[in-house]
Structures are given as C-alpha cells and as structure tokens.
Amino acid sequence: MLEYYIGMTKGAGSLAIVSVKDLTFTYPGNSEPTLAHISLDLPAGEWITIIGPNGSGKSTLARLIDGLLPINSGEIYVDNIPVKEENLHAIHQRIGFVFQNPDNQFVGTTVADDVAFGLENHQVSHEDMPFRIKQALNDVDMVPYAKKEPAYLSGGQKQRVAIAGALSLRPKVLIFDEATSMLDPEGRQKVLKLLAHLKVKKGFTILAISHDPSEAVLGDKVILLDHSHLVAYGPTNQIMGDSELLMKHRLGLPFTTQLKEQLQENGITVPKEYQSEEQMMTWLNQQLSSKK
Amino acid sequence: MNSKVFFGLYVPTNSILHRLDPRMKIIACFWYVVIVFLANNVLTNVLLGLFLLFLIWLSKVSLKMYWQGIKPLMWVILLTAAVQLFFSTGGQPIWQWHFLNITSLGIIQSIYLIFRFAFIITISTVLTVTTTTLQLAAGIESLLKPLSYLKVPVSQLAMMLSIALRFIPTIMDEIQTIMDAQRARGMDFSAGNLFQRAKRLVPVMIPLFVSSFKRADDLALAMEARGYQPGAPRTAYRQLRWHMNDNWAFLTYVVLTVALIVLRQI
C-alpha cells in the first residue's frame, strides 16, 4: 500500500527524534485496527505534517507517540527513550502536545497559572517558575496577557498560551493535533507563523496534524495515512504536488496543485512538483514571456 | 463579560484587608461567626457591631455593597425573627392570641436574632469583597492540608475546585449558546408557569451535560500530556505568604475575643 517512502531507513537512530516500529493499534471493542504496521522515523528539526481523511488514525498516531494511549504491538522511541508506562513522565517532558479545542486545554485560572501548570507537574522549583513562564510567554508574544483570565482571550490567544505551556517544559518535539482548525483566519495565521519561527529559530521538531492542504504545504515532509495504513511519506513538494495521489485518498488539493490540474486539462504541460504560490507565479511568468 | 468573570462580589479596592493572607481572613470570618453566638447582652452586640463597622471602613468598599449582601436574605431574617417573636416564652407577656404570644424577652431575643443574622452575612461579605475566588481556593487548600495525613486527597480536591472555578465562565457561555440554538428552533423560555419553564430547561441541560463530558475528556488528556499525575508530588506556583499585618490581624482578634468574654459577665 505504501506508494512513496522517502523517509529515512529504519534504524538510522541518531538523527531520528521519534522512531515508530511496526506499530499496530486497535481501540478496545473494535475489530478493525486503527493503525496497522506503521513504521516511520521523524528526523530532528523538521516540520512534518500528517494528512489523511477522517478516521485514518492521524490523532491516534500522535497520541501513541506521546504515550497517551497504551501501545498494543510495536515500539515507539522518543529521543531514544522507549514509550512505556515507566518512562511517561520523561516522554511528556520531551513532547509538547497542543490539542484542537483552545478552551478544553486551558487548566489555569489565569494565563500565567496555566503555563505554570506543566511546571508544577514536573516539579520545577517555585523560584525558577516566574522566569520560565515569562520566557515561554515571550516566545509566543503573550507577556502582556500574563494576568488575564481565559474568558478575556480569543481562541488564537488561548492556543498561543497552550504553546507557551508546552514550551515552558523545554521539549524537543511539538505535536499539534489540528491546533488551528477552530481558529479564525487571523488567529490561524499567527499560530502558523509562530510554528515556522519555532522550527527555524529554536530548532524544534514539529509534528502537525492537519485537514487543510494549505497548512500541509508549510512543512518539510508529509505523512499520508488512509485506512489505518501509511500510504506515503516524503518531501512536501513531492506529495502535495501529486494531485492523483491526493484525490485518490479523498484529500483536498492545495491551490497551485488545483491550478496545475486545470492547466493540464487544457493540454499545458506543468512541472510535477508542488510549487508555492510565488514559485507558481515565477513559472507562469517564464511561460508567458517565452511564448512571445 | 465582567459579570461572568467576577461572579461573587469581589471589589478590587486594594485595601489593607485585601492584602491580608486569605487563610487569616477565612479563619477570622469563621471565628467571628462563632463569637457572634457568645454575644448575650447589649454591650457585646454593640462591640461586635462596632468591630464590623471598623472592618467595613478598612475595606474601602461602599456600604451599598454590604446592603446588597443582606437584601436578598431580608425575608429569611424577618421570618425567623417573627417565629422567635411569636413563639418564645418567658419575661413579661405583652400580647396573646391562641398559641401566639409576644413577651418582653421574645422581643429582645428577636432583635438580637436580627443582628446576629446581619453580622454573619456582613462578615462573610467582608471576606468575599476583599478576596478573589482564586485566593479563597488557595486559602482553603492550605487550611485543609493537615487532612492529607488522614489520607484525604486535599491537593486533588483543590485541583478540582480550581478547575471548577476556571470553567464557570466557559460553561456559562455554553449555556447561552445552547439556549440561543433552542430559541432559534422556536423555544420560548420565558412563557408559562414555573413547572413548564423548568421543563423547557431539559433540552438545555442534556446537550450541556454531553458537551461537559466531552470537555472533561479533552481536559483530562491535555492534563496528562502536560505531566499531571493525580496524587504525585507537585511544586506550587502560587504560594501564600504570612505577613506582619496578618499577625496584627490575629492579635486584634484575640483582643476582640477577650473583650467579648469580659463584657459577657457584666
């Protein structure tokens, strides 16, 4: 079923921050597995997006990596630590998890209290907390809101606080489970910009789950799941440019891929790889000027 | 939005009472309620009344706020006083009709009763106007801490309390959304008698329960992802500090109690 696999060879442990080996998972009471024989490595410092239709097991995979669900069969390593009951505390410290609903992950009564929640759990000393809270809020540009209650914040601001909560624990991997899907366009843009910043400037590995093709094109690599199987794993420009693959798995096409699809119907040969809107514009310009 | 966030009566005037440790204020409030029942004559009641006026003055909150606290309970106070007035015996009988009678002692007792009620309500208002719910929760947690030696899960209870406080505005918003959704389907929440109106709340409560369970599920997962383990040791971001002023407040209370006991004998 695997159509692409341009990941890293199994066992190339030193560069992979997360490594999944022959993972199969069935929810209790289900007869069909939600994930079947998944093996993949997430290279450190990259932004990887998981795409796939509803019920393809995207969230389940993310939760298994963070040890939020018990593994049935197979193995997962995070930062070379096996994800197991006795290591969960260490795993939760290494992975920052941001969920979909901004309200349902806000634990504290104020912004600062919410960021402190994770620090309290990991027994960071009282004296160190103010600095780490301020640092984390500074990273997400929310310092002026430190004393605000969640009722005063927009969805995007709450999500940024959730990211600050994750950052305060100084993790290595950040997982975003459709973290922008409940936000308005402005809040979403800000959060996405923040992700790019965290990846480039701070060197985090980002694993994002998304429904939106315009978000999937922002990362370095794309994982495509469908019917509990790993269908494709490769560079973003290869997978997001492949309209045939995306349509076969009932996924939306990014704007430029749609455009190319229609150009092709009109008999125009187009490059196979995904192009960003700027790249597409340059290419179109070249085409138009060469026609003259 | 304000009413939803500042439920309760907290008034941020930053007075000396606001800056006291919440533990001191909670103990003081309880102790005052206890000694109110020791007041047995005019002098002791005057003493407690003057002390309360002193606290009100210190709190820098207008008398109107305190009146707001008493007003909704006015009927309960008057009814209890009336029962005391008509049914108590002893002292000089003044008026009698079947089983109802008014005696001189009954009049005095019911006046004391009104004052007792007013004192208790006002002292708790002093506590709530000068202390945020967050501080109250922290104070209660700290005061209950000794119970953890008896295997009472105090820190888990405190976590539950603080999450409950945190989610009140969120749930209020949710109720509003559900009610709007039902109104859009032609529901009228204001018509009909009390029973009919209560019945119409069923289609509000059921979706509310469903969504609250969903929220609880999400929240539990998010808390686990951030390293929360029930019963595991945690450090505290907010720590209560006992200042010099708290010692003074404590001393004031000792003096008040001694004065009250002396005046009781007169």
Side-chain angles (χ1 to χ4, degrees):
Chain A
M1 191 143 180
L2 191 67
E3 291 168 39
Y4 275 98
Y5 191 89
I6 312 159
M8 304 185 344
T9 49
K10 283 169 217 163
S14 61
L15 280 173
I17 187 88
V18 174
S19 153
V20 178
K21 289 174 179 152
D22 196 26
L23 179 74
T24 298
F25 182 81
T26 314
Y27 278 102
N30 284 11
S31 53
E32 291 290 304
T34 304
L35 290 172
H37 305 290
I38 306 282
S39 291
L40 52 87
D41 284 343
L42 303 185
E46 292 198 17
W47 177 343
I48 301 118
T49 310
I50 308 181
I51 58 170
N54 280 334
S56 57
K58 305 185 295 287
S59 287
T60 308
L61 178 59
R63 281 168 197 195
L64 283 163
I65 291 173
D66 197 18
L68 297 173
L69 289 169
I71 296 170
N72 294 157
S73 88
E75 287 171 325
I76 300 175
Y77 293 87
V78 174
D79 199 19
N80 292 321
I81 301 170
V83 178
K84 275 186 189 149
E85 182 80 38
E86 64 263 30
N87 298 333
L88 285 185
H89 212 61
I91 300 293
H92 291 154
Q93 188 269 313
R94 280 166 178 76
I95 298 180
F97 208 119
V98 181
F99 294 86
Q100 181 177 22
N101 190 317
D103 254 317
N104 297 357
Q105 53 187 319
F106 206 110
V107 186
T109 20
T110 69
V111 168
D113 282 276
D114 188 61
V115 177
F117 175 75
L119 298 173
E120 292 173 329
N121 295 334
H122 288 272
Q123 296 182 54
V124 172
S125 76
H126 175 75
E127 290 71 38
D128 293 344
M129 278 192 214
F131 172 71
R132 285 180 69 163
I133 292 169
K134 193 158 181 211
Q135 198 182 32
L137 286 177
N138 188 41
D139 282 339
V140 300
D141 208 8
M142 285 290 286
V143 176
Y145 297 88
K147 286 186 176 157
K148 289 263 190 258
E149 280 127 1
Y152 287 107
L153 305 180
S154 71
Q157 289 173 326
K158 282 180 205 159
Q159 272 326 49
R160 272 147 65 200
V161 174
I163 296 170
L167 293 179
S168 70
L169 294 173
R170 301 182 176 154
K172 301 201 163 165
V173 182
L174 294 172
I175 299 182
F176 294 87
D177 189 352
E178 301 200 29
T180 59
S181 64
M182 286 176 75
L183 305 183
D184 56 46
E186 197 198 332
R188 167 189 296 228
Q189 277 318 313
K190 272 203 170 141
V191 169
L192 290 173
K193 238 184 215 164
L194 178 62
L195 292 203
H197 173 81
L198 289 173
K199 195 211 100 172
V200 177
K201 289 268 154 63
K202 310 257 164 180
F204 286 108
T205 309
I206 292 176
L207 181 65
I209 295 174
S210 183
H211 256 119
D212 185 344
S214 69
E215 264 182 55
V217 299
L218 298 173
D220 303 302
K221 289 200 168 76
V222 172
I223 293 171
L224 203 173
L225 294 179
D226 195 6
H227 285 111
S228 59
H229 285 86
L230 177 65
V231 175
Y233 180 18
T236 303
N237 54 12
Q238 215 145 355
I239 292 183
M240 296 316 287
D242 190 338
S243 47
E244 206 180 312
L245 176 77
L246 294 175
M247 285 198 290
K248 188 175 154 200
H249 295 285
R250 310 179 300 290
L251 292 164
L253 303 182
F255 169 69
T256 54
T257 311
Q258 275 178 44
L259 184 63
K260 282 195 277 188
E261 184 71 13
Q262 285 174 356
L263 288 173
Q264 215 157 14
E265 275 172 30
N266 292 333
I268 300 165
T269 24
V270 290
K272 202 173 179 303
E273 294 211 323
Y274 169 78
Q275 286 167 306
S276 69
E277 280 161 39
E278 289 89 52
Q279 287 169 326
M280 190 77 187
M281 241 153 59
T282 329
W283 180 78
L284 282 173
N285 269 330
Q286 281 167 357
Q287 294 297 308
L288 289 172
S289 49
S290 65
K291 285 270 161 65
K292 275 180 203 163
Chain B
M1 193 183 266
N2 264 355
S3 63
K4 274 183 279 169
V5 180
F6 295 116
F7 68 96
L9 292 157
Y10 183 71
V11 185
T13 54
N14 196 25
S15 73
I16 188 163
L17 294 187
H18 286 73
R19 279 168 281 156
L20 284 181
D21 190 294
R23 287 171 295 188
M24 179 64 225
K25 284 189 271 188
I26 293 167
I27 294 171
C29 179
F30 268 98
W31 186 243
Y32 188 92
V33 171
V34 171
I35 60 177
V36 156
F37 289 95
L38 295 177
N40 60 346
N41 55 29
V42 178
L43 275 176
T44 43
N45 274 298
V46 168
L47 175 71
L48 288 175
L50 285 177
F51 183 72
L52 201 53
L53 282 175
F54 174 61
L55 290 183
I56 290 172
W57 175 74
L58 278 182
S59 74
K60 293 192 206 159
V61 174
S62 73
L63 271 171
K64 220 166 144 191
M65 283 300 296
Y66 292 99
W67 177 239
Q68 296 276 321
I70 297 181
K71 214 165 70 178
L73 293 165
M74 211 55 207
W75 288 109
V76 181
I77 299 173
L78 289 179
L79 194 75
T80 323
V83 170
Q84 177 86 15
L85 182 64
F86 287 115
F87 290 94
S88 64
T89 51
Q92 294 284 320
I94 291 167
W95 176 83
Q96 197 163 13
W97 181 73
H98 293 284
F99 54 89
L100 299 178
N101 59 69
I102 296 179
T103 66
S104 59
L105 199 65
I107 293 174
I108 294 167
Q109 290 290 337
S110 50
I111 289 170
Y112 283 163
L113 191 85
I114 291 174
F115 273 107
R116 240 171 231 178
F117 261 114
F119 287 168
I120 292 173
I121 295 164
T122 311
I123 191 78
S124 15
T125 314
V126 171
L127 178 67
T128 49
V129 293
T130 61
T131 321
T132 61
T133 41
L134 203 66
Q135 284 180 309
L136 276 178
I140 291 168
E141 180 187 4
S142 174
L143 289 172
L144 292 179
K145 210 135 249 169
L147 286 179
S148 57
Y149 292 108
L150 301 171
K151 301 253 186 278
V152 178
V154 176
S155 56
Q156 274 144 284
L157 290 173
M159 176 62 69
M160 281 162 65
L161 180 64
S162 100
I163 288 176
L165 290 174
R166 136 82 186 95
F167 272 91
I168 287 171
T170 312
I171 304 274
M172 297 282 235
D173 274 343
E174 182 104 45
I175 294 174
Q176 201 56 52
T177 311
I178 297 171
M179 283 178 84
D180 286 347
Q182 302 292 18
R183 275 198 201 97
R185 288 166 176 77
M187 177 77 81
D188 184 357
F189 289 105
S190 55
N193 61 35
L194 196 67
F195 182 71
Q196 287 168 320
R197 275 200 241 174
K199 225 174 127 185
R200 285 202 196 96
L201 284 179
V202 173
V204 176
M205 296 317 281
I206 290 174
L208 187 68
F209 269 103
V210 172
S211 82
S212 297
F213 278 114
K214 168 92 177 96
R215 268 185 208 289
D217 221 26
D218 284 358
L219 187 68
L221 201 65
M223 287 172 73
E224 197 189 332
R226 291 169 71 183
Y228 183 73
Q229 287 170 305
R234 306 173 75 232
T235 48
Y237 171 55
R238 279 179 190 276
Q239 287 183 344
L240 298 174
R241 288 241 175 79
W242 193 269
H243 294 286
M244 201 56 211
N245 274 343
D246 297 300
N247 289 332
W248 288 119
F250 193 82
L251 196 68
T252 312
Y253 259 83
V254 173
V255 171
L256 176 73
T257 311
V258 171
L260 188 90
I261 289 168
V262 170
L263 287 177
R264 257 171 74 90
Q265 320 298 330
I266 297 168

